[in-house]
Amino acid sequence: MSAQTRDAIFQQAGSGLSAPEVARRYGVHEGTVRAIWRKPNKRERTRGLHRFTEEDRQRALELRAEGKTFIEIGLELGFERSTVRKHLAEK
């Protein structure tokens, strides 16, 4: 897969399209799309500087109510899916 295709798939992360839709669009497996979406974009995100705040939790709860997955929520907020799941399970 070319770097251009990878970048294009990564850019689709917050677009509202699901992984299966993006996979069909680019002719790749859904798992490939999810793997690309999980990899941090070093230009946009730096680990350790952004803490999961109460505002992040509220936004995550809203997105979850809209039917978004933990991966999609994490991509939008800038966290790993496991972090989102952990904070939504609390309280």
Side-chain angles (χ1 to χ4, degrees):
M1 173 183 314
S2 72
Q4 291 173 332
T5 302
R6 264 185 201 282
D7 289 342
I9 291 171
F10 188 81
Q11 295 302 318
Q12 297 293 317
S15 70
L17 293 176
S18 68
E21 292 170 325
V22 174
R24 281 191 295 276
R25 180 177 286 181
Y26 291 97
V28 297
H29 190 272
E30 175 183 338
T32 303
V33 172
R34 291 185 190 281
I36 291 170
W37 285 357
R38 280 193 301 264
K39 290 189 178 180
N41 184 342
K42 303 233 187 278
R43 293 171 295 203
E44 295 178 10
R45 189 171 99 184
T46 303
R47 288 184 177 258
L49 295 179
H50 186 198
R51 300 281 183 206
F52 203 94
T53 64
E54 184 58 33
E55 291 80 24
D56 292 324
R57 185 175 189 283
Q58 291 304 315
R59 181 68 181 136
L61 288 169
E62 292 170 9
L63 292 170
R64 191 67 175 155
E66 293 172 13
K68 301 280 183 165
T69 65
F70 290 125
I71 291 174
E72 293 167 332
I73 296 168
L75 288 168
E76 183 166 325
L77 298 178
F79 294 100
E80 294 290 327
R81 68 178 174 193
S82 59
T83 302
V84 173
R85 184 179 11 206
K86 177 181 82 172
H87 286 282
L88 291 185
E90 292 177 353
K91 295 185 184 179

